[in-house]
Amino acid sequence: MPELPEVETVRRGIEKYVVGHRIESVEILHPKPFQGSAEQINGAKIVGIKRIGKGLIIELSNNYSLAIHIKLTGQLVYRDKKTKNAKLSTKVGSQLPNKFTHVIFKLLRPNAKSDERKTYLYYNDQRRFGWIKVLPTSEVSQLPFFKNMGPEPPVVPLRQGSGGTMEGRSLLSLEYFEKLLEGKNTKIKPFIMDQTRIGGIGNIYANDALFDAKILPTRSAKSLTKLEIKRLFNSILKVMKKSFEEGGASELSFVNILGQEGNYQNHSLVYGKTGKKCPRCKTVIKRINLGGRGTFYCENCQK
DNA sequence: TGATATGTTATCTT
DNA sequence: CAAGATAACATATC
């Protein structure tokens, strides 16, 4: 599922391939995910890309921004003359646009030869959970989703300075994490997935981090010892960094900006491994429901 | 064909 | 009233 490592993978792709291009026009094939009007962004230049938790913000030169959430199955795929014939993952399909393409950003690359000027950014979404909101840049941080976002674990550095700056946002420290858990009765797994407390953790990394830290997902947040909190903090960083290095997890539809899959799903510890053997002790992995989400753990290793 | 997947928000309960 | 728990929502897939 797109969590912090996946969304950061997309952010870097947009930074590398799309920033600097100008929006020539926007084609809206399915209006549901696109909130705003194309007129507000036509002609604007893409000047930067930020990420807050699992959300993306594309900044434009005309004081508007695009706030984007790809939720479960959204894809942002870039194409130009050079990449037009590059092979797409089967998760995208053989061609673009396809039946899941809802928005096409038709772009112009500056200073390019005439036959290389036209570039495209496709927004695809199988389940249409995701959204793209056109907003004045000054209002983006007022969206409840961004405004209420908790600090995120330091998996990748928050970017300072021009371009991807994240003004006013701080990273999750071990000390702050300890304070967060203090006196909280919520079960530790739903707790760390609550975006208003910590930004960026979803179901895959919550499961794998708790396994790595040898902590049962059903434990209450306040029951963790100082040592366990430290282990969990480090495990969250460890599994998300690993995933980022693997290009993210392509469990459902996730692909990077070039339409290629990540590899973390081949390295996951317990996520989705019901009935399989624990990588540490070979006990059969159990699956329960916590907060309506699939929860996977080893009853022998995790205490 | 209906059960299933999960990120987020809304609503209910204690 | 706040914290915590649960329901609802979107919809293609098997």
Side-chain angles (χ1 to χ4, degrees):
Chain A
M1 291 352 96
E3 306 177 31
L4 193 155
E6 289 78 19
V7 180
E8 176 65 14
T9 298
V10 172
R11 194 197 69 75
R12 295 204 180 185
I14 291 176
E15 183 169 71
K16 181 170 178 183
Y17 289 98
V18 185
V19 168
H21 295 205
R22 191 173 293 279
I23 298 172
E24 184 190 36
S25 64
V26 186
E27 197 172 320
I28 298 162
L29 291 87
H30 297 106
K32 195 184 290 179
F34 190 88
Q35 300 168 24
S37 71
E39 289 77 44
Q40 290 167 306
I41 59 174
N42 281 342
K45 193 173 178 178
I46 294 168
V47 295
I49 171 89
K50 295 182 190 175
R51 179 186 55 76
I52 295 179
K54 302 172 194 171
L56 289 167
I57 301 161
I58 293 179
E59 289 187 324
L60 306 177
S61 58
N62 64 349
N63 294 320
Y64 277 90
S65 285
L66 297 167
I68 301 176
H69 201 303
I70 64 174
K71 292 285 181 84
L72 270 78
T73 54
Q75 302 174 328
L76 285 164
V77 182
Y78 172 79
R79 303 253 92 181
D80 62 16
K81 183 162 184 282
K82 282 194 184 109
T83 61
K84 205 165 92 180
N85 297 315
K87 198 169 167 42
L88 294 163
S89 158
T90 54
K91 292 179 187 300
V92 179
S94 54
Q95 56 174 8
L96 286 169
N98 59 40
K99 62 174 173 173
F100 300 125
T101 302
H102 302 139
V103 184
I104 306 172
F105 295 95
K106 300 190 169 180
L107 310 172
L108 290 176
R109 187 214 311 267
N111 309 318
K113 285 186 284 183
S114 62
D115 63 331
E116 292 181 358
R117 281 178 69 208
K118 286 175 184 280
T119 66
Y120 304 88
L121 185 64
Y122 296 91
Y123 177 71
N124 310 324
D125 194 346
Q126 275 194 9
R127 295 182 197 169
R128 301 189 206 179
F129 285 20
W131 39 256
I132 299 175
K133 297 171 198 274
V134 182
L135 291 169
T137 298
S138 60
E139 290 176 18
V140 171
S141 59
Q142 296 310 306
L143 280 179
F145 175 76
F146 291 121
K147 196 177 177 180
N148 301 330
M149 183 73 63
E152 63 180 63
V155 177
V156 293
L158 289 180
R159 299 169 54 79
Q160 304 296 327
S162 62
T165 184
M166 304 272 182
E167 308 88 357
R169 295 196 48 76
S170 58
L171 291 166
L172 181 75
S173 66
L174 176 58
E175 295 70 28
Y176 184 82
F177 190 43
E178 284 171 353
K179 279 217 165 61
L180 268 185
L181 302 191
E182 228 166 69
K184 299 299 193 321
N185 259 320
T186 310
K187 292 182 172 61
I188 188 63
K189 181 177 172 256
F191 187 95
I192 60 174
M193 291 173 67
D194 181 343
Q195 304 299 297
T196 67
R197 291 173 159 135
I198 303 168
I201 304 174
N203 206 25
I204 296 176
Y205 307 116
N207 276 297
D208 278 5
L210 284 162
F211 172 81
D212 191 69
K214 304 183 180 177
I215 296 165
L216 282 171
T218 47
R219 292 268 301 278
S220 72
K222 69 178 181 189
S223 74
L224 269 64
T225 65
K226 203 167 179 180
L227 181 65
E228 286 174 326
I229 295 172
K230 189 177 179 182
R231 279 214 311 269
L232 180 54
F233 183 80
N234 289 331
S235 294
I236 288 169
L237 297 187
K238 182 177 158 188
V239 299
M240 292 218 271
K241 278 182 176 169
K242 169 71 177 169
S243 181
F244 185 61
E245 287 163 10
E246 294 290 340
S250 290
E251 289 290 340
L252 290 179
S253 304
F254 175 74
V255 291
N256 66 21
I257 200 80
L258 299 179
Q260 303 158 336
E261 296 174 32
N263 284 316
Y264 183 81
Q265 67 278 12
N266 302 320
H267 300 268
S268 69
L269 304 171
V270 290
Y271 177 81
K273 294 205 179 298
T274 321
K276 299 204 169 126
K277 288 177 178 173
C278 165
R280 265 198 303 253
C281 76
K282 311 301 177 198
T283 300
V284 172
I285 300 295
K286 289 221 156 152
R287 183 196 190 281
I288 58 168
N289 247 63
L290 269 193
R293 295 294 168 261
T295 301
F296 310 86
Y297 65 99
C298 171
E299 58 186 346
N300 182 48
C301 287
Q302 291 170 260
K303 305 291 181 190

